[in-house]
Amino acid sequence: MSSGLAPRRRFTLLAAAAAAGALTLSACSGDGTTSGGGGNTNFVTGNSGISTVPRGERTDAPKLDGTTLEGEPLDISDYRGKVVVLNVWGSWCGPCRLEAKHFAKVSKETEGQGIQFVGINTQDTQRSLAINFEKDYGVTYPSLYDPTGKLLLRFPKGTLNLQTIPSTVVIDRDGKIAARKLGGLDAEKLHEMIDPLIAEK
């Protein structure tokens, strides 16, 4: 009788171990402190999960250029002098759908304040899916099309990874990485992230 239960018990233990492993992985990806590993990014993570870098310790943002979802050329360096909010998203991503309306709202609220929102669309095999997503959620700022995630690999190690979508990185007016959030944001948290950088002179 015990031999009949052993395989079931063993399966249960394996399933429990796998679930624990998945929880650990999501925690590592979600808190922003260990994701990517080994990078010297100088991020300090607050209780809100938003990571910031003191002004004198920020590193240069990588060169980010390519084509938009509409096929137009776009180079982030053209926005030097503005605060740039980079939101990594995909139309296939549930949390991206939850945060999209907040990004659309805050991008409109902050117009004229020296800030530029830019999306980085990743892992979408068809541009049309991403374009329809933006129309559905009222997103009017441009998005770089990055189906393979190569733009994310340009960031310093430990900044971003393809396992944590959505993610947001904010670049200050001097072209340096100033803040990051791995995971979704609502309007309140997004303002908490960007308003201090808008206020920097």
Side-chain angles (χ1 to χ4, degrees), residues 4 23 57 72-73 76 78 91 104 113 123 151 155 159-161 164-166 170 190 194-195 198:
L23 285 172
E57 300 176 19
E72 299 294 327
I76 297 301
D78 290 343
S91 68
Q113 296 183 35
Q123 299 181 52
L151 291 179
F155 282 87
T159 304
L160 290 173
N161 65 62
T164 310
I165 307 295
V170 185
L190 184 53
I194 67 175
D195 287 354
I198 293 173

Side-chain angles (χ1 to χ4, degrees), residues 54-75:
R55 195 167 188 175
E57 300 176 19
R58 297 171 187 167
T59 58
D60 290 336
K63 181 171 177 56
L64 298 169
D65 59 340
T67 59
T68 66
L69 290 173
E70 292 75 23
E72 299 294 327
L74 177 63
D75 189 332

Side-chain angles (χ1 to χ4, degrees), residues 16-26:
L23 285 172
T24 302
L25 178 63
S26 65

